[in-house]
Amino acid sequence: PLGRRFTLTSVDCRTLYCELKAEYPMSAAEAHGGDAFRNVVDEVAEGLDLWIGESGSGSMEAPGFLEAHAILRRFKPGDTCPPGFQEDCWNR
C-alpha cells in the first residue's frame, strides 16, 4: 500500500550496492510520498539483510514532482569482501 504514494523510477543493483530511485508528487493530496519511500526502503533493507548507505530527496526531475533515492549496501562493516575488493568494500 505504501508503494501507491510514489513511483519507482529505477533500480540499479551492482556487486557492492543497489540504488533505488523514486518520484512523488509535491501536491498536498499526495503528501508523505517521501516518508512512504523511506519506509519501503527500510523494509527492503531489513528483509534482504542490506545496509542502508545514503539516502535523500528533494531534486525536482519533472514539474510538480520530487525525486528520492536510497543506496542499499550489500556488505556491512566486518563482512568478508568479494575477491578483488579492499577490506572496506562496505564503505563504497
Side-chain angles (χ1 to χ4, degrees):
L2 291 174
R4 289 185 224 149
R5 297 184 186 169
F6 62 87
T7 300
L8 195 60
T9 57
S10 75
V11 175
D12 181 15
C13 287
R14 302 191 178 226
T15 302
L16 299 179
Y17 67 88
C18 286
E19 182 177 35
L20 309 173
K21 290 185 179 180
E23 67 181 15
Y24 55 95
M26 292 186 334
S27 70
E30 297 292 334
H32 309 297
D35 292 338
F37 177 70
R38 283 186 289 281
N39 288 339
V40 168
V41 167
D42 289 344
E43 290 179 19
V44 168
E46 183 178 334
L48 297 177
D49 195 29
L50 300 173
W51 187 51
I52 297 176
E54 66 180 68
S55 63
S57 64
S59 67
M60 213 167 15
E61 290 295 314
F65 285 85
L66 293 174
E67 181 187 74
H69 75 275
I71 294 179
L72 302 176
R73 297 179 179 172
R74 294 179 182 266
F75 298 93
K76 299 178 183 79
D79 283 352
T80 302
C81 298
F85 290 94
Q86 298 176 354
E87 290 184 29
D88 68 343
C89 62
W90 59 269
N91 197 26
R92 294 176 182 252

